[in-house]
Amino acid sequence: MRSIVEIIAAKRDGHTLPDDEIRWLIAEYSADRLPDYQMSALAMAIFFRGLDHRETGTWTEAMLRSGVVLDLSDLGAGRVDKHSTGGVGDKISLPLAPAAAACGCIVPMVSGRGLGHTGGTLDKLEAIPGYRTDLDVAAFRAVLADVGCSIIGQTGEVAPADKRLYALRDVTGTVESIPLITASIMSKKLAEGIEGLVLDVKVGGAAFMKNVEDARRLAEAMVQVGEGMGKRVIAFLTRMEEPLGQMIGNACEVAESIEVLGGGGPSDVRELVVTLGGAMVELARGVSADEGAARVAQALDDGSALQRWRRMVAHHGGDDSRLPAPTGETAILASRDGYVTAIDGLEIGLSAVALGAGRTRADQAVDPVVGVRIDAPRGAKVAAGGRLATVLHGRGGAPPAEVTRRIADAFRVGSTQPEPAPLVIERIG
Ligand code: URA
């Protein structure tokens, strides 16, 4: 076995690393015997030189084995999950897990908090008074057995090597590495004891992957790693320029998700729930994608998805009839007549973080109430002085002028109505 310095230099010079060295690196790092400065040098070498498919698979498996791997086989077949690479207004997991459960899937979903300008499922769920995201494995299993879905937070026991490495990458400029993202996401998801996984790889200005080529490479790498470990994986590349749906925040995104669960809500949110949920049903029940999508749409329309949601929330101790309400609102107005041709989702996401809906430091608490509502989506006609968006006030009261200006500047208003842009760009796997 070469020394750590030789391994770093080998990757720096573009060589591939043998499996035993990768396993050793992850084991040493997990056991705190490899210092952060050497791991960060290696992460930067990987950022520039990459990992091939074999190296990525071995790296993923080593991180997966650094913690517990749930065995939920006693719950029966059809255990599937969905993971999104992160977007603005991306509340899809909230309606999706109960809708898929209503169609016979078992959805053991372990979710994360907001990252950068993107929101996190856990922060949204914690806006529901009483909802506990920290169930232990026995309680998680009991909710799954009764409801068919449960959404909890990552415990320290799942892929601890990733937890540590992710925090290091976050502060060393090495997050945007396709093999490292692949290993990070797949090590956590494959620890859930699932048989199949649907991936929503976001593409665009408000996503971590800015262009279709990079998103496709990431999606293909994740599909390949999952399949190499005996799982069925389907990935979708989906558009992430404007925020998804109307609401960006925490409590307000829960409220919007409940509308979707009841058969209403914004059409883009419903479309993604039906498409991604359809693929989950396809994997879990062995039906076609179209049949899966039709079953999910039916579950949203006939009340069965909403019923699953209510049972899941009750099991977690939550009461969604007491969602906290905004303390006031500030309108963001158009300065000219025309059509909304684009909304910069990254700017809206960063504004929501600045208002307190997300974090700029890991130890910050989010404000569950504060948010932004999009009143004039892309393609809408607006008049000068008409409402583009609304800031929902939280504990900080009215927003600072620089934030309202930033939100107003995120809207492009032109004379010609833009063509509708497809939400689902491509399916892989
Ligand atoms: N999400 C993750 O879980 N890991 C990454 O590396 C990037 C996004």
Side-chain angles (χ1 to χ4, degrees), residues 91-102:
K91 71 273 299 165
I92 299 299
S93 292
L94 272 53
L96 178 70

Side-chain angles (χ1 to χ4, degrees), residues 37 82 91 95 122 216 234 246 257 266-267 335 342 375 389 406 412 414:
Y37 58 82
K82 184 264 333 181
K91 71 273 299 165
L122 280 195
R216 192 180 290 129
I234 298 172
Q246 253 195 301
S257 301
S267 57
S335 56
D375 296 308
R406 193 169 188 181
R412 292 272 162 277

